[in-house]
Amino acid sequence: SGTVLVTGGSTALQPYGPLTSLSVGKAAVRNMAECVRQTLEPAGIRVGTVTIMGAVGSNDHFAPDRIAEAFW
């Protein structure tokens, strides 16, 4: 039992041309998490993604402590 949370960025959902490699990487992480979810779900382990729709630390809304509290 347990939970695995995988953090990703907004470019996984909203690709941005100048950051193509980052966008592809973030989308791959989401797909990987889904594959892991399918594998671990029968064992009672939950896997989910948390997409941060902004730059961590760029303002109070994206403060690391605030994000950590949301995870907890």
Side-chain angles (χ1 to χ4, degrees), residues 33-63:
E34 174 58 19
C35 291
V36 171
R37 183 198 65 76
Q38 292 172 16
T39 301
L40 297 180
E41 189 173 55
I45 300 171
R46 297 172 295 185
V47 178
T49 61
V50 177
T51 303
I52 308 297
M53 299 297 286
V56 174
S58 61
N59 59 43
D60 288 342
H61 186 74
F62 296 111

